[in-house]
Amino acid sequence: MIAKAELHVHLEGTAPPDLVRRLAERHGMPVPEGLFDGDERFAYTDFLDFLRAYDLAASVMRSGDDYRDVTYEYLASCARDGAIYVELTASPDHAELVGLDQQEHLEGIARGIDDARAEFGIEGRILISAVRNFGVDRALRVAQYAAERPHPYVVGFSMAGDEENFPAGDYVEAFEVAAG
């Protein structure tokens, strides 16, 4: 088998419907309404609706353990498919929206990477991502956090979200801050 690398995947979006349901159950909350269609697949009609579904799925990820499990399960799946390296785009914004602090968020992801490496030999790294449709101020906070608290697993800073309505040029300062 040829070794593979996954270089662009948004972590919260890797959770399959079954894991989203388990995480919601873990926290005693209902699965967000409208997240799944009748076929037990994520329901969305276009890119902006996909972003809505992504936000709903991320809303059940509420602890470092949740992020550990999402990371571990995705890396385990990739390893079974022959991947040896994965770069995970992680959103501190989504964690913050549910009350999870950025340190616990990052530590949960790192534990998932460590556990998957120990069991499957796969390596993972993290791109910290600001979500452009959450605004410039939030992007600056995420960039500042990434710049001030380096982590050995964090290999970059990126932007995600609604590209059409939130142009990259509005976020130049965030990239400058992240670059240090």
Side-chain angles (χ1 to χ4, degrees), residues 65-141:
D65 288 339
D66 294 348
Y67 275 94
R68 179 264 175 216
D69 292 351
V70 171
T71 302
Y72 173 82
E73 289 192 23
Y74 185 70
L75 292 177
S77 172
C78 289
R80 285 190 285 275
D81 287 339
I84 60 170
Y85 179 80
V86 176
E87 283 184 0
L88 303 159
T89 298
S91 170
D93 285 323
H94 283 96
E96 186 178 304
L97 285 173
V98 297
L100 185 61
D101 78 38
Q102 292 181 1
Q103 188 64 32
E104 185 178 359
H105 172 245
L106 189 58
E107 288 173 1
I109 298 167
R111 280 189 292 122
I113 290 171
D114 290 341
D115 292 349
R117 181 189 318 107
E119 188 166 342
F120 299 100
I122 191 167
E123 193 57 69
R125 290 295 180 264
I126 304 164
L127 293 172
I128 296 294
S129 184
V131 180
R132 59 179 81 221
N133 40 293
F134 292 168
V136 172
D137 289 340
R138 286 184 84 119
L140 284 167
R141 283 200 318 262

Side-chain angles (χ1 to χ4, degrees), residues 13-37:
T14 68
D18 176 63
L19 180 55
V20 170
R21 288 184 187 289
R22 285 186 280 140
L23 295 177
E25 185 176 313
R26 176 185 285 173
H27 297 291
M29 59 189 293
V31 171
E33 190 171 327
L35 181 57
F36 301 119
D37 68 14

